[in-house]
Amino acid sequence: QVQLVESGGGLVQAGASLRLSCAASGGTFSNYQLGWFRQVPGKDREFVTAINWNGGITTYADSVKGRFTISRDNAKNTGYLQIHSLKPEDTAVYYCAARTALHIRITSTDYNYWGQGTQVTVSS
């Protein structure tokens, strides 16, 4: 069973960049497909991006295409979310999630394992 720990969030100004990390332990990292979701208070958890087991396939929500890049380093048991040109509407808690399957899914209920989240706050 894999455990996930996110890091890299913070308070930044609009236009800045951040790189979030998702460190995994307790499982064979390459067995897992990874996803990133975000959530603001009072709203449902929103899909952001996902990557397959070897990084060969990725998918993005339309709202983040061109600004967000997902990647993974299986040798380091770590996934990444690079964010450029941050906007105030990107403010949310960002969660890393994993599922033991080959195919990418974009629905939060398809994911078995979750990190605790990292807060990203973008000031205007």
Side-chain angles (χ1 to χ4, degrees), residues 98-118:
R99 59 192 294 270
T100 50
L102 293 177
H103 302 294
I104 288 178
R105 293 290 184 267
I106 65 171
T107 304
S108 60
T109 52
D110 287 322
Y111 287 79
N112 311 100
Y113 307 102
W114 291 84
Q116 83 290 348
T118 185

mmCIF file with all atom_site columns, all heavy atoms in Angstrom, residues 98-118:
data_model
loop_
_atom_site.group_PDB
_atom_site.id
_atom_site.type_symbol
_atom_site.label_atom_id
_atom_site.label_alt_id
_atom_site.label_comp_id
_atom_site.label_asym_id
_atom_site.label_entity_id
_atom_site.label_seq_id
_atom_site.pdbx_PDB_ins_code
_atom_site.Cartn_x
_atom_site.Cartn_y
_atom_site.Cartn_z
_atom_site.occupancy
_atom_site.B_iso_or_equiv
_atom_site.pdbx_formal_charge
_atom_site.auth_seq_id
_atom_site.auth_comp_id
_atom_site.auth_asym_id
_atom_site.auth_atom_id
_atom_site.pdbx_PDB_model_num
ATOM 1   N N   . ALA A 1 98  ? -3.103  8.240  -6.269  1.00 0.00 ? 98  ALA A N   1
ATOM 2   C CA  . ALA A 1 98  ? -2.551  7.114  -7.011  1.00 0.00 ? 98  ALA A CA  1
ATOM 3   C C   . ALA A 1 98  ? -3.580  5.995  -7.117  1.00 0.00 ? 98  ALA A C   1
ATOM 4   O O   . ALA A 1 98  ? -4.450  5.849  -6.259  1.00 0.00 ? 98  ALA A O   1
ATOM 5   C CB  . ALA A 1 98  ? -1.286  6.591  -6.333  1.00 0.00 ? 98  ALA A CB  1
ATOM 6   N N   . ARG A 1 99  ? -3.460  5.258  -8.200  1.00 0.00 ? 99  ARG A N   1
ATOM 7   C CA  . ARG A 1 99  ? -4.320  4.086  -8.382  1.00 0.00 ? 99  ARG A CA  1
ATOM 8   C C   . ARG A 1 99  ? -3.504  3.001  -9.077  1.00 0.00 ? 99  ARG A C   1
ATOM 9   O O   . ARG A 1 99  ? -2.640  3.287  -9.889  1.00 0.00 ? 99  ARG A O   1
ATOM 10  C CB  . ARG A 1 99  ? -5.566  4.420  -9.194  1.00 0.00 ? 99  ARG A CB  1
ATOM 11  C CG  . ARG A 1 99  ? -5.311  4.967  -10.562 1.00 0.00 ? 99  ARG A CG  1
ATOM 12  C CD  . ARG A 1 99  ? -6.600  5.544  -11.156 1.00 0.00 ? 99  ARG A CD  1
ATOM 13  N NE  . ARG A 1 99  ? -7.609  4.527  -11.401 1.00 0.00 ? 99  ARG A NE  1
ATOM 14  C CZ  . ARG A 1 99  ? -7.720  3.853  -12.537 1.00 0.00 ? 99  ARG A CZ  1
ATOM 15  N NH1 . ARG A 1 99  ? -6.904  4.091  -13.534 1.00 0.00 ? 99  ARG A NH1 1
ATOM 16  N NH2 . ARG A 1 99  ? -8.675  2.943  -12.694 1.00 0.00 ? 99  ARG A NH2 1
ATOM 17  N N   . THR A 1 100 ? -3.812  1.746  -8.730  1.00 0.00 ? 100 THR A N   1
ATOM 18  C CA  . THR A 1 100 ? -3.077  0.611  -9.291  1.00 0.00 ? 100 THR A CA  1
ATOM 19  C C   . THR A 1 100 ? -3.768  0.144  -10.553 1.00 0.00 ? 100 THR A C   1
ATOM 20  O O   . THR A 1 100 ? -4.540  -0.809 -10.541 1.00 0.00 ? 100 THR A O   1
ATOM 21  C CB  . THR A 1 100 ? -3.010  -0.537 -8.280  1.00 0.00 ? 100 THR A CB  1
ATOM 22  O OG1 . THR A 1 100 ? -4.333  -0.803 -7.780  1.00 0.00 ? 100 THR A OG1 1
ATOM 23  C CG2 . THR A 1 100 ? -2.099  -0.188 -7.131  1.00 0.00 ? 100 THR A CG2 1
ATOM 24  N N   . ALA A 1 101 ? -3.514  0.844  -11.634 1.00 0.00 ? 101 ALA A N   1
ATOM 25  C CA  . ALA A 1 101 ? -4.116  0.499  -12.907 1.00 0.00 ? 101 ALA A CA  1
ATOM 26  C C   . ALA A 1 101 ? -3.272  1.092  -14.024 1.00 0.00 ? 101 ALA A C   1
ATOM 27  O O   . ALA A 1 101 ? -2.516  2.036  -13.812 1.00 0.00 ? 101 ALA A O   1
ATOM 28  C CB  . ALA A 1 101 ? -5.546  1.018  -12.998 1.00 0.00 ? 101 ALA A CB  1
ATOM 29  N N   . LEU A 1 102 ? -3.423  0.526  -15.209 1.00 0.00 ? 102 LEU A N   1
ATOM 30  C CA  . LEU A 1 102 ? -2.653  1.004  -16.343 1.00 0.00 ? 102 LEU A CA  1
ATOM 31  C C   . LEU A 1 102 ? -3.228  2.268  -16.956 1.00 0.00 ? 102 LEU A C   1
ATOM 32  O O   . LEU A 1 102 ? -2.500  3.136  -17.426 1.00 0.00 ? 102 LEU A O   1
ATOM 33  C CB  . LEU A 1 102 ? -2.578  -0.092 -17.408 1.00 0.00 ? 102 LEU A CB  1
ATOM 34  C CG  . LEU A 1 102 ? -1.784  -1.344 -17.041 1.00 0.00 ? 102 LEU A CG  1
ATOM 35  C CD1 . LEU A 1 102 ? -1.870  -2.359 -18.173 1.00 0.00 ? 102 LEU A CD1 1
ATOM 36  C CD2 . LEU A 1 102 ? -0.339  -1.001 -16.733 1.00 0.00 ? 102 LEU A CD2 1
ATOM 37  N N   . HIS A 1 103 ? -4.549  2.355  -16.962 1.00 0.00 ? 103 HIS A N   1
ATOM 38  C CA  . HIS A 1 103 ? -5.197  3.417  -17.728 1.00 0.00 ? 103 HIS A CA  1
ATOM 39  C C   . HIS A 1 103 ? -5.468  4.636  -16.869 1.00 0.00 ? 103 HIS A C   1
ATOM 40  O O   . HIS A 1 103 ? -5.807  4.530  -15.700 1.00 0.00 ? 103 HIS A O   1
ATOM 41  C CB  . HIS A 1 103 ? -6.498  2.900  -18.327 1.00 0.00 ? 103 HIS A CB  1
ATOM 42  C CG  . HIS A 1 103 ? -6.299  1.719  -19.211 1.00 0.00 ? 103 HIS A CG  1
ATOM 43  N ND1 . HIS A 1 103 ? -5.615  1.780  -20.407 1.00 0.00 ? 103 HIS A ND1 1
ATOM 44  C CD2 . HIS A 1 103 ? -6.657  0.427  -19.051 1.00 0.00 ? 103 HIS A CD2 1
ATOM 45  C CE1 . HIS A 1 103 ? -5.583  0.587  -20.954 1.00 0.00 ? 103 HIS A CE1 1
ATOM 46  N NE2 . HIS A 1 103 ? -6.202  -0.260 -20.158 1.00 0.00 ? 103 HIS A NE2 1
ATOM 47  N N   . ILE A 1 104 ? -5.347  5.809  -17.465 1.00 0.00 ? 104 ILE A N   1
ATOM 48  C CA  . ILE A 1 104 ? -5.576  7.060  -16.763 1.00 0.00 ? 104 ILE A CA  1
ATOM 49  C C   . ILE A 1 104 ? -7.068  7.258  -16.527 1.00 0.00 ? 104 ILE A C   1
ATOM 50  O O   . ILE A 1 104 ? -7.885  7.011  -17.394 1.00 0.00 ? 104 ILE A O   1
ATOM 51  C CB  . ILE A 1 104 ? -5.002  8.232  -17.580 1.00 0.00 ? 104 ILE A CB  1
ATOM 52  C CG1 . ILE A 1 104 ? -3.481  8.193  -17.524 1.00 0.00 ? 104 ILE A CG1 1
ATOM 53  C CG2 . ILE A 1 104 ? -5.520  9.568  -17.064 1.00 0.00 ? 104 ILE A CG2 1
ATOM 54  C CD1 . ILE A 1 104 ? -2.817  9.281  -18.333 1.00 0.00 ? 104 ILE A CD1 1
ATOM 55  N N   . ARG A 1 105 ? -7.384  7.747  -15.344 1.00 0.00 ? 105 ARG A N   1
ATOM 56  C CA  . ARG A 1 105 ? -8.741  8.136  -15.001 1.00 0.00 ? 105 ARG A CA  1
ATOM 57  C C   . ARG A 1 105 ? -8.708  9.547  -14.437 1.00 0.00 ? 105 ARG A C   1
ATOM 58  O O   . ARG A 1 105 ? -7.726  9.969  -13.850 1.00 0.00 ? 105 ARG A O   1
ATOM 59  C CB  . ARG A 1 105 ? -9.343  7.178  -13.973 1.00 0.00 ? 105 ARG A CB  1
ATOM 60  C CG  . ARG A 1 105 ? -9.580  5.769  -14.501 1.00 0.00 ? 105 ARG A CG  1
ATOM 61  C CD  . ARG A 1 105 ? -10.707 5.740  -15.507 1.00 0.00 ? 105 ARG A CD  1
ATOM 62  N NE  . ARG A 1 105 ? -11.003 4.374  -15.954 1.00 0.00 ? 105 ARG A NE  1
ATOM 63  C CZ  . ARG A 1 105 ? -10.462 3.829  -17.033 1.00 0.00 ? 105 ARG A CZ  1
ATOM 64  N NH1 . ARG A 1 105 ? -9.608  4.517  -17.782 1.00 0.00 ? 105 ARG A NH1 1
ATOM 65  N NH2 . ARG A 1 105 ? -10.785 2.600  -17.366 1.00 0.00 ? 105 ARG A NH2 1
ATOM 66  N N   . ILE A 1 106 ? -9.818  10.275 -14.624 1.00 0.00 ? 106 ILE A N   1
ATOM 67  C CA  . ILE A 1 106 ? -9.852  11.658 -14.178 1.00 0.00 ? 106 ILE A CA  1
ATOM 68  C C   . ILE A 1 106 ? -10.895 11.903 -13.099 1.00 0.00 ? 106 ILE A C   1
ATOM 69  O O   . ILE A 1 106 ? -11.134 13.049 -12.725 1.00 0.00 ? 106 ILE A O   1
ATOM 70  C CB  . ILE A 1 106 ? -10.084 12.608 -15.372 1.00 0.00 ? 106 ILE A CB  1
ATOM 71  C CG1 . ILE A 1 106 ? -11.475 12.374 -15.981 1.00 0.00 ? 106 ILE A CG1 1
ATOM 72  C CG2 . ILE A 1 106 ? -9.009  12.431 -16.429 1.00 0.00 ? 106 ILE A CG2 1
ATOM 73  C CD1 . ILE A 1 106 ? -11.836 13.428 -17.019 1.00 0.00 ? 106 ILE A CD1 1
ATOM 74  N N   . THR A 1 107 ? -11.484 10.849 -12.588 1.00 0.00 ? 107 THR A N   1
ATOM 75  C CA  . THR A 1 107 ? -12.495 10.984 -11.541 1.00 0.00 ? 107 THR A CA  1
ATOM 76  C C   . THR A 1 107 ? -11.877 10.625 -10.203 1.00 0.00 ? 107 THR A C   1
ATOM 77  O O   . THR A 1 107 ? -11.242 9.580  -10.068 1.00 0.00 ? 107 THR A O   1
ATOM 78  C CB  . THR A 1 107 ? -13.690 10.066 -11.836 1.00 0.00 ? 107 THR A CB  1
ATOM 79  O OG1 . THR A 1 107 ? -14.207 10.373 -13.122 1.00 0.00 ? 107 THR A OG1 1
ATOM 80  C CG2 . THR A 1 107 ? -14.783 10.257 -10.793 1.00 0.00 ? 107 THR A CG2 1
ATOM 81  N N   . SER A 1 108 ? -12.097 11.463 -9.207  1.00 0.00 ? 108 SER A N   1
ATOM 82  C CA  . SER A 1 108 ? -11.440 11.262 -7.914  1.00 0.00 ? 108 SER A CA  1
ATOM 83  C C   . SER A 1 108 ? -11.812 9.928  -7.279  1.00 0.00 ? 108 SER A C   1
ATOM 84  O O   . SER A 1 108 ? -10.980 9.310  -6.613  1.00 0.00 ? 108 SER A O   1
ATOM 85  C CB  . SER A 1 108 ? -11.780 12.407 -6.964  1.00 0.00 ? 108 SER A CB  1
ATOM 86  O OG  . SER A 1 108 ? -13.170 12.477 -6.741  1.00 0.00 ? 108 SER A OG  1
ATOM 87  N N   . THR A 1 109 ? -13.010 9.456  -7.521  1.00 0.00 ? 109 THR A N   1
ATOM 88  C CA  . THR A 1 109 ? -13.439 8.199  -6.897  1.00 0.00 ? 109 THR A CA  1
ATOM 89  C C   . THR A 1 109 ? -12.722 6.985  -7.487  1.00 0.00 ? 109 THR A C   1
ATOM 90  O O   . THR A 1 109 ? -12.795 5.898  -6.923  1.00 0.00 ? 109 THR A O   1
ATOM 91  C CB  . THR A 1 109 ? -14.957 8.015  -7.035  1.00 0.00 ? 109 THR A CB  1
ATOM 92  O OG1 . THR A 1 109 ? -15.331 8.168  -8.411  1.00 0.00 ? 109 THR A OG1 1
ATOM 93  C CG2 . THR A 1 109 ? -15.712 9.027  -6.184  1.00 0.00 ? 109 THR A CG2 1
ATOM 94  N N   . ASP A 1 110 ? -12.028 7.151  -8.581  1.00 0.00 ? 110 ASP A N   1
ATOM 95  C CA  . ASP A 1 110 ? -11.247 6.056  -9.165  1.00 0.00 ? 110 ASP A CA  1
ATOM 96  C C   . ASP A 1 110 ? -9.898  5.863  -8.479  1.00 0.00 ? 110 ASP A C   1
ATOM 97  O O   . ASP A 1 110 ? -9.214  4.881  -8.744  1.00 0.00 ? 110 ASP A O   1
ATOM 98  C CB  . ASP A 1 110 ? -11.002 6.303  -10.654 1.00 0.00 ? 110 ASP A CB  1
ATOM 99  C CG  . ASP A 1 110 ? -12.259 6.094  -11.489 1.00 0.00 ? 110 ASP A CG  1
ATOM 100 O OD1 . ASP A 1 110 ? -13.028 5.158  -11.176 1.00 0.00 ? 110 ASP A OD1 1
ATOM 101 O OD2 . ASP A 1 110 ? -12.477 6.865  -12.438 1.00 0.00 ? 110 ASP A OD2 1
ATOM 102 N N   . TYR A 1 111 ? -9.515  6.778  -7.623  1.00 0.00 ? 111 TYR A N   1
ATOM 103 C CA  . TYR A 1 111 ? -8.206  6.734  -6.989  1.00 0.00 ? 111 TYR A CA  1
ATOM 104 C C   . TYR A 1 111 ? -8.304  6.150  -5.578  1.00 0.00 ? 111 TYR A C   1
ATOM 105 O O   . TYR A 1 111 ? -9.181  6.509  -4.801  1.00 0.00 ? 111 TYR A O   1
ATOM 106 C CB  . TYR A 1 111 ? -7.586  8.128  -6.949  1.00 0.00 ? 111 TYR A CB  1
ATOM 107 C CG  . TYR A 1 111 ? -7.127  8.571  -8.310  1.00 0.00 ? 111 TYR A CG  1
ATOM 108 C CD1 . TYR A 1 111 ? -8.043  9.062  -9.243  1.00 0.00 ? 111 TYR A CD1 1
ATOM 109 C CD2 . TYR A 1 111 ? -5.789  8.478  -8.684  1.00 0.00 ? 111 TYR A CD2 1
ATOM 110 C CE1 . TYR A 1 111 ? -7.627  9.449  -10.513 1.00 0.00 ? 111 TYR A CE1 1
ATOM 111 C CE2 . TYR A 1 111 ? -5.370  8.873  -9.943  1.00 0.00 ? 111 TYR A CE2 1
ATOM 112 C CZ  . TYR A 1 111 ? -6.304  9.347  -10.851 1.00 0.00 ? 111 TYR A CZ  1
ATOM 113 O OH  . TYR A 1 111 ? -5.892  9.723  -12.100 1.00 0.00 ? 111 TYR A OH  1
ATOM 114 N N   . ASN A 1 112 ? -7.348  5.264  -5.290  1.00 0.00 ? 112 ASN A N   1
ATOM 115 C CA  . ASN A 1 112 ? -7.374  4.544  -4.015  1.00 0.00 ? 112 ASN A CA  1
ATOM 116 C C   . ASN A 1 112 ? -6.577  5.227  -2.919  1.00 0.00 ? 112 ASN A C   1
ATOM 117 O O   . ASN A 1 112 ? -6.882  5.063  -1.740  1.00 0.00 ? 112 ASN A O   1
ATOM 118 C CB  . ASN A 1 112 ? -6.768  3.141  -4.204  1.00 0.00 ? 112 ASN A CB  1
ATOM 119 C CG  . ASN A 1 112 ? -7.357  2.409  -5.387  1.00 0.00 ? 112 ASN A CG  1
ATOM 120 O OD1 . ASN A 1 112 ? -6.752  2.364  -6.466  1.00 0.00 ? 112 ASN A OD1 1
ATOM 121 N ND2 . ASN A 1 112 ? -8.519  1.841  -5.199  1.00 0.00 ? 112 ASN A ND2 1
ATOM 122 N N   . TYR A 1 113 ? -5.532  5.960  -3.314  1.00 0.00 ? 113 TYR A N   1
ATOM 123 C CA  . TYR A 1 113 ? -4.593  6.494  -2.335  1.00 0.00 ? 113 TYR A CA  1
ATOM 124 C C   . TYR A 1 113 ? -4.442  8.001  -2.534  1.00 0.00 ? 113 TYR A C   1
ATOM 125 O O   . TYR A 1 113 ? -4.346  8.480  -3.664  1.00 0.00 ? 113 TYR A O   1
ATOM 126 C CB  . TYR A 1 113 ? -3.226  5.812  -2.489  1.00 0.00 ? 113 TYR A CB  1
ATOM 127 C CG  . TYR A 1 113 ? -3.329  4.308  -2.461  1.00 0.00 ? 113 TYR A CG  1
ATOM 128 C CD1 . TYR A 1 113 ? -3.260  3.563  -3.635  1.00 0.00 ? 113 TYR A CD1 1
ATOM 129 C CD2 . TYR A 1 113 ? -3.526  3.634  -1.259  1.00 0.00 ? 113 TYR A CD2 1
ATOM 130 C CE1 . TYR A 1 113 ? -3.383  2.184  -3.610  1.00 0.00 ? 113 TYR A CE1 1
ATOM 131 C CE2 . TYR A 1 113 ? -3.641  2.251  -1.230  1.00 0.00 ? 113 TYR A CE2 1
ATOM 132 C CZ  . TYR A 1 113 ? -3.572  1.540  -2.401  1.00 0.00 ? 113 TYR A CZ  1
ATOM 133 O OH  . TYR A 1 113 ? -3.696  0.184  -2.375  1.00 0.00 ? 113 TYR A OH  1
ATOM 134 N N   . TRP A 1 114 ? -4.373  8.692  -1.393  1.00 0.00 ? 114 TRP A N   1
ATOM 135 C CA  . TRP A 1 114 ? -4.324  10.153 -1.425  1.00 0.00 ? 114 TRP A CA  1
ATOM 136 C C   . TRP A 1 114 ? -3.289  10.664 -0.434  1.00 0.00 ? 114 TRP A C   1
ATOM 137 O O   . TRP A 1 114 ? -3.107  10.088 0.650   1.00 0.00 ? 114 TRP A O   1
ATOM 138 C CB  . TRP A 1 114 ? -5.689  10.730 -1.046  1.00 0.00 ? 114 TRP A CB  1
ATOM 139 C CG  . TRP A 1 114 ? -6.740  10.477 -2.079  1.00 0.00 ? 114 TRP A CG  1
ATOM 140 C CD1 . TRP A 1 114 ? -7.508  9.358  -2.223  1.00 0.00 ? 114 TRP A CD1 1
ATOM 141 C CD2 . TRP A 1 114 ? -7.123  11.362 -3.135  1.00 0.00 ? 114 TRP A CD2 1
ATOM 142 N NE1 . TRP A 1 114 ? -8.340  9.492  -3.299  1.00 0.00 ? 114 TRP A NE1 1
ATOM 143 C CE2 . TRP A 1 114 ? -8.137  10.713 -3.869  1.00 0.00 ? 114 TRP A CE2 1
ATOM 144 C CE3 . TRP A 1 114 ? -6.717  12.634 -3.525  1.00 0.00 ? 114 TRP A CE3 1
ATOM 145 C CZ2 . TRP A 1 114 ? -8.748  11.304 -4.985  1.00 0.00 ? 114 TRP A CZ2 1
ATOM 146 C CZ3 . TRP A 1 114 ? -7.325  13.214 -4.624  1.00 0.00 ? 114 TRP A CZ3 1
ATOM 147 C CH2 . TRP A 1 114 ? -8.331  12.550 -5.348  1.00 0.00 ? 114 TRP A CH2 1
ATOM 148 N N   . GLY A 1 115 ? -2.667  11.786 -0.812  1.00 0.00 ? 115 GLY A N   1
ATOM 149 C CA  . GLY A 1 115 ? -1.830  12.502 0.133   1.00 0.00 ? 115 GLY A CA  1
ATOM 150 C C   . GLY A 1 115 ? -2.671  13.434 0.980   1.00 0.00 ? 115 GLY A C   1
ATOM 151 O O   . GLY A 1 115 ? -3.894  13.526 0.813   1.00 0.00 ? 115 GLY A O   1
ATOM 152 N N   . GLN A 1 116 ? -1.995  14.176 1.851   1.00 0.00 ? 116 GLN A N   1
ATOM 153 C CA  . GLN A 1 116 ? -2.700  15.070 2.769   1.00 0.00 ? 116 GLN A CA  1
ATOM 154 C C   . GLN A 1 116 ? -2.976  16.435 2.145   1.00 0.00 ? 116 GLN A C   1
ATOM 155 O O   . GLN A 1 116 ? -3.748  17.221 2.698   1.00 0.00 ? 116 GLN A O   1
ATOM 156 C CB  . GLN A 1 116 ? -1.877  15.245 4.058   1.00 0.00 ? 116 GLN A CB  1
ATOM 157 C CG  . GLN A 1 116 ? -0.764  16.284 3.997   1.00 0.00 ? 116 GLN A CG  1
ATOM 158 C CD  . GLN A 1 116 ? 0.406   15.876 3.117   1.00 0.00 ? 116 GLN A CD  1
ATOM 159 O OE1 . GLN A 1 116 ? 0.536   14.729 2.706   1.00 0.00 ? 116 GLN A OE1 1
ATOM 160 N NE2 . GLN A 1 116 ? 1.285   16.836 2.836   1.00 0.00 ? 116 GLN A NE2 1
ATOM 161 N N   . GLY A 1 117 ? -2.335  16.717 1.021   1.00 0.00 ? 117 GLY A N   1
ATOM 162 C CA  . GLY A 1 117 ? -2.555  17.979 0.331   1.00 0.00 ? 117 GLY A CA  1
ATOM 163 C C   . GLY A 1 117 ? -1.529  19.035 0.684   1.00 0.00 ? 117 GLY A C   1
ATOM 164 O O   . GLY A 1 117 ? -0.935  19.015 1.754   1.00 0.00 ? 117 GLY A O   1
ATOM 165 N N   . THR A 1 118 ? -1.331  19.965 -0.234  1.00 0.00 ? 118 THR A N   1
ATOM 166 C CA  . THR A 1 118 ? -0.462  21.104 -0.008  1.00 0.00 ? 118 THR A CA  1
ATOM 167 C C   . THR A 1 118 ? -1.169  22.355 -0.511  1.00 0.00 ? 118 THR A C   1
ATOM 168 O O   . THR A 1 118 ? -1.749  22.368 -1.597  1.00 0.00 ? 118 THR A O   1
ATOM 169 C CB  . THR A 1 118 ? 0.906   20.902 -0.696  1.00 0.00 ? 118 THR A CB  1
ATOM 170 O OG1 . THR A 1 118 ? 1.778   21.978 -0.348  1.00 0.00 ? 118 THR A OG1 1
ATOM 171 C CG2 . THR A 1 118 ? 0.800   20.826 -2.203  1.00 0.00 ? 118 THR A CG2 1
#
